[in-house]
Amino acid sequence: MSKKGLLGSLGAAALLLWAGGAAAGFGELNMRPGVTPISHDVYHLHMAILWVCVAIGVVVFGTMFISILRHRKSRGAVAAQFHESTLIEILWTIIPFVILVSIAIPATKTLIAMENPSDADLTIKVTGYQWRWRYDYPDSGISFFSNLSTPQDEIDNKAPKGKEYLLQVDHPLVLPINKKVRFLTTGNDVIHSWWVPALGWKKDAIPGYINESWARIEKPGTYRGQCAELCGKGHGFMPIVVVAKTEADYAKWVKEQKLAMAQAAEAATKTWSRKELMAHGEKVYTTTCAACHQATGTGVPGVFPPLAAGHPFAASDALLKPLRERGFLDESGKVVMGPLEDHIQIVLHGIPGSAMQAFGGQLNDADLAAVITYERNSFGNTTGDVVQPADVAAAR
Amino acid sequence: MSIATTATTAPHDEHHGPARGLMRWVTTTNHKDIGTLYLCFALAMFFVGGIMAMLIRAELFEPGLQLMQPTFFNEMTTMHALVMIFGAVMPAFVGLANWQIPMMIGAPDMALPRLNNWSFWILPFAAAMLLSTLFMQGGGPAGGWTMYPPLMLQTGEAFPFVIFAVHLLGISSVMGAINIVVTIFNMRAPGMSMMKMPLFVWTWLITAFLLIAVMPVLAGAVTMLLTDKFFDTSFFNAAGGGDPVMFQHIFWFFGHPEVYILILPAFGIVSQIIPTFARKPLFGYSSMVYATASIAFLSFIVWAHHMFTVGMPLTAELFFMYATMLIAVPTGVKVFNWVATMWRGSLTFETPMLFAIAFVVLFTIGGFSGLMLAITPADFQYHDTYFVVAHFHYVLVTGAVFAIMGATYYWLPKWTGHMYNEKLGKWHFWLSVVFVNVLFFPQHFLGLAGMPRRIPDYAVQFADWNMISTLGGFAFGASQLLFLYIVVQSIRGGAKATGRVWEGALGLEWTVPSPAPYHTFREAPEVH
Amino acid sequence: METTRPSLDPRVRRANQRLALLLGAVAVGLFVLFIVLNLK
């Protein structure tokens, strides 16, 4: 094959990619400008450096390909013997340096603007959990978890995937447009990263750290993003959805949220029926517990214990001991439904040193009561226990 | 051939050639044997890591989870990187160093031959231990090859074995590096001044210093992970007064020079191959030496560009942006010098030259995406996406791996005495170069479109490019079986190779017969 | 002062080699044992 083949095949590949790009689905080729002034700046910087690289590439690769075509021995080329030139070395050191400076200047300006979260109109606290996000609005007292809402059947290829597959949540982050929103980002367990491409940046969510960033969204709409720091098995399954509303719609939403929170607080003091607890408990279990303990309650061998009594749990001593101590493992290594008080304590405070988190700070009394009731009466468990939110409150 | 023995010479009889059988390979102190051991080990690890890559790409063929659970996927991405970096690329470069450096400088062997043997033999044990973690309770490491805490501390029973494996791999590298430095400084033939050394020797000398400087830093970082898990320290635990980000600083202080360790020998290889097939001296020899040294120096002050999103102060972000952009200058100088070497040469395109040319083009593309990544505000969008994955695979696969393959084709005739099958070699090249681009170029698009790294499943708008990338991956992987066949075939037979092998080849290694005798340059050659 | 150097005496060399082989075998044995004990 002639050496034109190298040029030819690269050219053909590029052509194929571009032609294919025109077809639907392959249209995802480039970063988008986004919906904030910063995201626009970042987009322009990206395009600028891209074109600089293309230009340099054309010059360098062009020279090389001319050489490949013209200076081949088979064409009778005789090798020259020159092998140095201080002048040319200086030139092709200085010229790239100048090009770099020309990029560094606008990049510096954009970075300085990005790292200036002062005079914000609204502050949002973002906390990364394994494997979901929590949003707090300190000024309004609103607080909620935002969980992936894609049905497991779609992930398991048992149902067709929707358009927003893996990018949909139960409770999106709602923000007003045209306001400077300051984000305080942290992590609860491991490092996560909060990224919405349309806003123009991402920021790591680090346990023990609070990172500051800001955005001013210019257009109402729904903007989706994902966790961008490996955080375990659920890393690909903790998306971010931001719904940007006009100021009026935002104010309405805040009022609705406050009302809903008041109702939930009421629910925590009332007496629930067993049916209500089981229904609500199943929802909480699916969202919060099934990731590890599985929808069937059978856990993952060696890693996450089953919640179904009678099921064996083969694991290291380090994992078995805390279960045995709390009365949830019998001598034959099978899981049992231990005492209710211990069950409540495990869910409230977790098991230190293991992957079982403390959910006391993450779920309210009603959620906790419901999920514990659900666990103790599902998967073949027949304790008949019914836990009221007041019981959980008392156990804290 | 007789050698006057003095009372200080050990009475082992070297005239009967190497020992026979398995023990030859276990006890050898011969740089050629040890080079062969490293290269065979590296090739085997390349396929192990390659299978892991195929599993990853198979799961990513379509949206949805088809083949594996997310935890296993994370184990695969973690192990794929560890195996390829520490099991394939680094040992391959050390194997090439062992084979070539003594011959290139006219030395009879490495300065510390028994240390050389130990440096190699650590590797199979370390690799076996690392791979065995996949079969331990809790599975193998799944926190990425970067091992960030707190996530890495959630590793199961495998944890201490991973740490120990990293220590062993590091010890092997440091011992090898010391050997290389001592050899190059002390055993050059008379007349071979430093500025007359082949570029491959220069780049390995500089790489060896980088290794000695930074492998202990990695050892420190992983040891702190170990004590955090088992001995109640809180180096990286904020609740105990520590800092998870400090791990990242320490790791990347190792990690950035590490990636230059992974590429500088490749630069040296390309600087040997291109002049040979252009029949023209390397353009700008001294500039190439100074550029390599500049790159090595700069590599120590750019580490935080891997951490732009952790929340560093603005001044730090600016400093690391400028320093990182600066590395493009000496790197560019090297690329220009290679092109200038080709310019007005008398070019032929045997397989080694094809790989070297592909290196210059495709590594430069990787360099371009690297330059884009250096721009901090833009990096906020690229970081932890497939754009980064595309970047480092361009510089590592079409960069380091292509250089290693080119070097293999270049020097195989010297090692085996047989010409490899040139037609098959060209087939291997063309299949590889086409499919490696089908595999990795679309990953730029995926990253820019918003696909994060290290996810086993993805949103539907990423489906098409992922499918293309996977198909490219399978084809690229399959093409490497051809390489294996060519290498094995060339060991077993083939057209007889001359001493010089290539018309334009210059250098001391080409003055000895092919295959190179077991002991070469027992008498120092004359160097002009 | 006399400098020390490895013994040339074949009996000493044989003994040293046997010791090295033994220690090496113990090391490899422990290495394999600890891995195998921790496999699932």
Side-chain angles (χ1 to χ4, degrees):
Chain A
M1 216 204 283
S2 82
K3 288 334 127 226
K4 282 186 167 115
L6 180 58
L7 182 77
S9 71
L10 283 180
L15 211 64
L16 262 169
L17 286 176
W18 275 109
F26 290 101
E28 300 290 332
L29 286 172
N30 199 4
M31 190 190 290
R32 305 264 177 78
V35 296
T36 69
I38 292 290
S39 70
H40 296 316
D41 283 348
V42 166
Y43 173 78
H44 291 306
L45 265 178
H46 157 73
M47 292 308 288
I49 187 70
L50 178 61
W51 287 124
V52 165
C53 290
V54 168
I56 297 175
V58 164
V59 170
V60 174
F61 300 152
T63 311
M64 179 189 256
F65 288 139
I66 292 173
S67 185
I68 288 175
L69 295 174
R70 295 222 311 230
H71 302 144
R72 35 177 59 198
K73 182 176 177 201
S74 59
R75 239 171 157 237
V78 172
Q81 289 302 306
F82 65 84
H83 60 269
E84 60 186 357
S85 159
T86 312
L87 170 67
I88 226 179
E89 300 283 355
I90 292 179
L91 280 178
W92 66 35
T93 304
I94 303 267
I95 294 174
F97 182 79
V98 169
I99 295 175
L100 290 179
V101 170
S102 75
I103 300 281
I105 293 173
T108 304
K109 290 211 186 93
T110 303
L111 189 60
I112 291 175
M114 284 178 87
E115 301 290 5
N116 181 10
S118 58
D119 302 321
D121 299 309
L122 173 64
T123 297
I124 303 285
K125 184 164 170 219
V126 175
T127 310
Y129 283 75
Q130 282 174 309
W131 290 281
R132 55 217 204 283
W133 295 96
R134 193 182 86 198
Y135 301 116
D136 293 277
Y137 296 65
D139 308 324
S140 337
I142 298 170
S143 174
F144 55 85
F145 279 91
S146 185
N147 303 280
L148 174 72
S149 60
T150 300
Q152 188 64 31
D153 276 353
E154 288 184 29
I155 300 176
D156 293 335
N157 307 303
K158 295 194 185 121
K161 296 171 177 55
K163 201 161 73 91
E164 273 112 38
Y165 176 72
L166 292 192
L167 294 178
Q168 52 203 157
V169 298
D170 51 8
H171 300 118
L173 176 68
V174 178
L175 295 174
I177 58 169
N178 293 328
K179 293 269 181 246
K180 185 167 183 179
V181 180
R182 185 172 73 129
F183 298 86
L184 297 176
T185 310
T186 188
N188 175 67
D189 31 45
V190 298
I191 302 179
H192 302 266
S193 191
W194 199 80
W195 182 37
V196 179
L199 300 185
W201 47 265
K202 61 174 65 74
K203 205 59 151 206
D204 285 2
I206 305 170
Y209 262 57
I210 300 181
N211 274 334
E212 251 186 322
S213 41
W214 69 272
R216 182 189 296 275
I217 304 174
E218 293 171 326
K219 253 175 53 171
T222 304
Y223 309 112
R224 302 173 193 273
Q226 292 186 260
C227 177
E229 183 61 57
L230 178 64
C231 52
K233 68 206 263 301
H235 170 54
F237 304 97
M238 47 183 292
I240 295 143
V241 178
V242 173
V243 174
K245 293 180 185 276
T246 61
E247 228 189 306
D249 286 342
Y250 175 75
K252 214 167 76 168
W253 177 84
V254 171
K255 241 170 79 183
E256 285 165 10
Q257 292 305 298
K258 287 188 169 163
L259 191 62
M261 278 170 54
Q263 290 174 337
E266 243 191 83
T269 51
K270 78 161 203 212
T271 305
W272 290 51
S273 76
R274 182 191 155 118
K275 209 159 127 234
E276 287 171 327
L277 286 167
M278 290 296 283
H280 186 59
E282 190 183 357
K283 275 221 227 78
V284 176
Y285 183 84
T286 308
T287 316
T288 310
C289 319
C292 299
H293 292 290
Q294 305 305 306
T296 50
T298 48
V300 174
V303 195
F304 306 122
L307 300 176
H311 271 255
F313 183 46
S316 67
D317 252 7
L319 290 177
L320 294 177
K321 190 154 156 292
L323 291 175
R324 217 175 268 124
E325 286 172 343
R326 292 163 172 76
F328 277 81
L329 201 71
D330 68 19
E331 309 82 45
S332 61
K334 292 212 180 65
V335 161
V336 297
M337 273 293 114
L340 177 56
E341 305 79 59
D342 292 281
H343 194 150
I344 296 177
Q345 290 300 315
I346 292 177
V347 179
L348 274 179
H349 303 298
I351 295 181
S354 79
M356 177 62 192
Q357 301 172 34
F359 287 94
Q362 301 183 30
L363 299 171
N364 63 36
D365 294 341
D367 289 343
L368 289 165
V371 79
I372 295 172
T373 306
Y374 177 76
E375 288 169 358
R376 293 180 79 80
N377 294 291
S378 306
F379 320 126
N381 298 327
T382 50
T383 63
D385 287 331
V386 166
V387 188
Q388 294 297 332
D391 301 330
V392 175
R396 280 184 187 272
Chain B
M1 179 164 56
S2 72
I3 292 182
T5 50
T6 68
T8 53
T9 312
H12 82 278
D13 192 347
E14 44 188 353
H15 299 298
H16 288 191
R20 296 266 146 264
L22 201 59
M23 287 312 282
R24 164 185 174 179
W25 300 103
V26 172
T27 58
T28 180
T29 54
N30 179 287
H31 74 100
K32 302 185 178 73
D33 276 356
I34 294 173
T36 300
L37 285 170
Y38 270 107
L39 289 170
C40 291
F41 173 79
L43 188 59
M45 289 292 109
F46 179 63
F47 282 108
V48 169
I51 289 170
M52 294 174 177
M54 295 302 101
L55 288 171
I56 292 168
R57 285 308 330 161
E59 178 56 61
L60 292 172
F61 181 62
E62 280 180 321
L65 292 176
Q66 285 86 18
L67 297 170
M68 60 190 77
Q69 287 304 301
T71 307
F72 185 71
F73 182 87
N74 292 341
E75 289 174 46
M76 284 296 100
T77 50
T78 303
M79 293 291 270
H80 162 75
L82 288 170
V83 166
M84 287 304 205
I85 291 170
F86 294 106
V89 173
M90 288 171 79
F93 279 139
V94 177
L96 292 171
N98 259 292
W99 253 109
Q100 296 305 122
I101 291 179
M103 289 199 290
M104 282 173 152
I105 62 175
D109 207 301
M110 300 289 287
L112 304 162
R114 190 168 300 147
L115 188 71
N116 207 11
N117 174 292
W118 293 342
S119 300
F120 170 73
W121 276 108
I122 291 180
L123 292 184
F125 289 95
M129 182 163 58
L130 182 63
L131 292 171
S132 76
T133 61
L134 289 168
F135 304 100
M136 293 184 180
Q137 195 77 267
W145 85 280
T146 46
M147 302 181 282
Y148 285 179
L151 179 66
M152 187 65 183
L153 299 170
Q154 294 181 352
T155 310
E157 304 287 301
F159 186 78
F161 292 96
V162 176
I163 306 299
F164 192 27
V166 170
H167 272 289
L168 289 178
L169 294 165
I171 289 170
S172 164
S173 290
V174 171
M175 299 202 309
I178 291 173
N179 216 342
I180 287 170
V181 171
V182 176
T183 305
I184 295 174
F185 276 162
N186 290 289
M187 295 174 67
R188 281 166 289 124
M192 180 170 286
S193 64
M194 298 285 283
M195 292 306 268
K196 285 217 183 94
M197 297 192 311
L199 242 293
F200 180 66
V201 179
W202 259 117
T203 54
W204 243 118
L205 177 65
I206 293 173
T207 303
F209 274 106
L210 289 180
L211 277 166
I212 294 168
V214 301
M215 292 308 302
V217 176
L218 177 65
V222 302
T223 306
M224 284 191 268
L225 276 178
L226 189 78
T227 60
D228 263 20
K229 181 141 175 108
F230 292 114
F231 301 121
D232 258 335
T233 57
S234 290
F235 290 112
F236 309 124
N237 175 17
D243 179 357
V245 177
M246 184 174 78
F247 177 87
Q248 298 187 31
H249 281 292
I250 300 173
F251 180 85
W252 286 114
F253 189 78
F254 147 79
H256 196 80
E258 167 67 15
V259 308
Y260 287 101
I261 288 165
L262 294 171
I263 203 64
L264 292 188
F267 289 165
I269 289 166
V270 170
S271 301
Q272 300 297 140
I273 293 179
I274 292 187
T276 298
F277 295 95
R279 294 158 181 75
K280 192 163 157 284
L282 181 68
F283 189 88
Y285 175 93
S286 0
S287 294
M288 293 296 255
V289 174
Y290 298 137
T292 310
S294 313
I295 291 170
F297 167 73
L298 285 171
S299 77
F300 282 100
I301 60 171
V302 298
W303 76 88
H305 67 230
H306 300 272
M307 305 162 49
F308 277 142
T309 61
V310 302
M312 282 187 294
L314 174 65
T315 319
E317 289 179 343
L318 286 170
F319 168 77
F320 283 108
M321 174 167 78
Y322 301 146
T324 307
M325 292 173 76
L326 206 54
I327 293 204
V329 175
T331 313
V333 164
K334 291 184 83 75
V335 172
F336 304 145
N337 276 282
W338 287 318
V339 176
T341 305
M342 292 170 70
W343 189 260
R344 288 185 54 211
S346 176
L347 305 170
T348 53
F349 302 96
E350 291 85 331
T351 308
M353 182 63 159
L354 290 175
F355 274 102
I357 292 175
F359 174 99
V360 177
V361 175
L362 300 173
F363 170 81
T364 301
I365 291 180
F368 286 147
S369 56
L371 182 56
M372 294 169 75
L373 288 162
I375 312 295
T376 311
D379 181 68
F380 290 152
Q381 292 280 50
Y382 308 138
H383 177 71
D384 247 293
T385 69
Y386 263 81
F387 192 78
V388 179
V389 178
H391 159 71
F392 65 68
H393 282 102
Y394 263 89
V395 291
L396 283 176
V397 181
T398 62
V401 172
F402 271 24
I404 291 168
M405 289 179 172
T408 305
Y409 285 109
Y410 187 53
W411 285 315
L412 253 182
K414 175 59 55 187
W415 303 334
T416 62
H418 307 127
M419 291 305 290
Y420 61 85
N421 183 325
E422 179 61 41
K423 191 149 173 284
L424 286 183
K426 289 201 163 79
W427 266 100
H428 172 233
F429 169 75
W430 287 109
L431 288 170
S432 296
V433 78
V434 166
F435 288 121
V436 81
N437 281 292
V438 174
L439 165 56
F440 291 120
F441 203 80
Q443 295 184 358
H444 292 109
F445 305 145
L446 286 171
L448 294 180
M451 182 177 172
R453 287 174 74 168
R454 296 167 163 173
I455 56 176
D457 190 8
Y458 47 80
V460 295
Q461 70 259 34
F462 303 131
D464 295 323
W465 289 126
N466 265 295
M467 185 177 281
I468 302 272
S469 176
T470 293
L471 294 173
F474 287 156
F476 177 70
S479 308
Q480 304 322 305
L481 295 170
L482 185 52
F483 180 62
L484 178 63
Y485 177 77
I486 294 168
V487 169
V488 171
Q489 192 193 47
S490 143
I491 292 171
R492 296 166 103 221
K496 199 158 165 10
T498 60
R500 183 148 303 273
V501 184
W502 311 108
E503 183 191 16
L506 297 170
L508 286 174
E509 75 264 38
W510 307 110
T511 65
V512 303
S514 305
Y518 201 58
H519 298 290
T520 42
F521 296 120
R522 286 169 160 183
E523 313 253 338
E526 266 187 48
V527 174
H528 313 284
Chain C
M1 187 176 81
E2 254 188 50
T3 54
T4 56
R5 36 170 269 229
S7 174
L8 296 174
D9 180 347
R11 289 168 305 164
V12 175
R13 287 171 56 83
R14 256 200 305 277
N16 282 339
Q17 283 161 7
R18 286 199 189 119
L19 182 62
L21 211 57
L22 179 70
L23 291 176
V26 169
V28 170
L30 285 175
F31 183 87
V32 171
L33 184 70
F34 278 121
I35 290 178
V36 165
L37 283 179
N38 278 280
L39 295 178
K40 248 193 299 222

